[in-house]
Amino acid sequence: MGKLPPARTGTAPELPAADCTDAGRELAGEEAYLERPEPARFVAEGGFTRSLERFHTEFCRTTNPAQAERTVAKHSTALWRDAVKRAQGKGPVRGTLSAGDDRPLYWTRLAMAATLRQWGPQFALSEADRQGLIDDLDRISRRQVDAFATTSQGRPGQFDLEAVNGAWRGGFTPPEPVTTDCPAPANPGTVREDGPTPGSQARAGGGGDYLSNEIAYRATLLRDALGLGAPGGHIHTPVLEGLDAENPAELTNPTFEANREAITAQVQALVTEVGRSVQ
């Protein structure tokens, strides 16, 4: 998620509220940002307000765990389907933001997760089962493919592909050597252009020791642990620029749209090439 601009004053749309939630239940992580005005604008201007309202209406009527699971699966699938159609310029979900803008999908998914987090069901529900519903929402609304890519913004005007990842996170020390597959030995560490050495301890991956490196490491580690064999990696996209830093209420403009379309086209070309490799 990109950094949100400062909150603005004035009239703004509000996110639809569910009748079956308890606002006293604490939200987790980025869900807390839903209290700001910008997420509601992304949902509304992306055309997903009715999707969120339909989810609330049906979910608040659930009377047992199995029905809750089915409802989450149904609306998670619909969210992904509508988002894909919107990106293709098809389907009923349009809104005023451009078809290539995926921020409405992100904030609608997060709003649905917050509803599940604060839900007051009509039956006993353990925290583990609640988290299971949230995990189902996240997984189903992202779909599954034969390859994967984690992404983050890197530097202006340039794409970077990470070839090697490590679990070391800047400012944190792993309790033990993390992997033998990364190029840097223990302190003081060296940078090797010719690949990993046996027995080395990861101090940084191809993208340094930032969160993006950790995300890519965790994704590939999970892939290997599950034995999926799917190709994947981390893509550093250019920094998406174009919004007026002096106008925090601005969600988009022609320069911003053109920059995103150019970045998206390059990412699509990369993913298409990966797709050809697994056919």
Side-chain angles (χ1 to χ4, degrees), residues 63-262:
T63 58
N64 59 72
Q67 186 182 12
E69 291 176 4
R70 291 193 300 269
T71 302
V72 167
K74 172 185 174 181
H75 287 272
S76 300
T77 300
L79 176 61
W80 175 256
R81 181 192 62 234
D82 290 344
V84 170
K85 288 183 178 179
R86 179 181 181 277
Q88 296 171 340
K90 306 174 183 178
V93 176
R94 297 293 178 89
T96 57
L97 292 174
S98 69
D101 196 330
D102 66 348
R103 292 173 294 178
L105 168 61
Y106 172 86
W107 288 109
T108 304
R109 179 193 293 124
L110 199 65
M112 292 170 67
T115 296
L116 296 177
R117 185 87 58 192
Q118 295 185 323
W119 176 40
Q122 303 177 40
F123 51 89
L125 180 74
S126 69
E127 287 306 305
D129 288 341
R130 182 189 301 273
Q131 186 60 50
L133 291 172
I134 295 172
D135 292 343
D136 286 347
L137 162 67
D138 189 74
R139 174 178 53 82
I140 297 172
S141 65
R142 296 178 189 272
R143 306 301 289 173
Q144 295 181 4
V145 295
D146 296 322
F148 72 92
T150 54
T151 61
S152 65
Q153 294 189 95
R155 42 187 167 173
Q158 181 169 328
F159 277 84
D160 293 289
L161 302 180
E162 290 190 13
V164 179
N165 305 118
W168 187 282
R169 175 79 177 277
F172 298 89
T173 303
E176 58 184 359
V178 178
T179 178
T180 60
D181 296 330
C182 293
N187 193 38
T190 59
V191 176
R192 295 178 55 89
E193 298 294 339
D194 56 347
T197 57
S200 61
Q201 182 180 16
R203 294 298 299 269
D209 60 359
Y210 304 107
L211 176 60
S212 60
N213 169 75
E214 181 183 353
I215 292 171
Y217 175 84
R218 289 176 180 271
T220 52
L221 184 66
L222 179 61
R223 182 268 316 272
D224 294 344
L226 295 175
L228 298 180
H234 189 83
I235 303 173
H236 280 288
T237 66
V239 174
L240 179 53
E241 301 174 312
L243 293 180
D244 183 359
E246 302 300 321
N247 181 12
E250 183 179 56
L251 298 186
T252 188
N253 63 45
T255 300
F256 180 81
E257 294 292 339
N259 289 342
R260 185 180 59 232
E261 288 175 6

Side-chain angles (χ1 to χ4, degrees), residues 15-31:
L15 285 171
D19 295 332
C20 57
T21 56
D22 176 7
R25 288 187 59 89
E26 185 177 359
L27 296 176
E30 293 174 348
E31 294 165 5

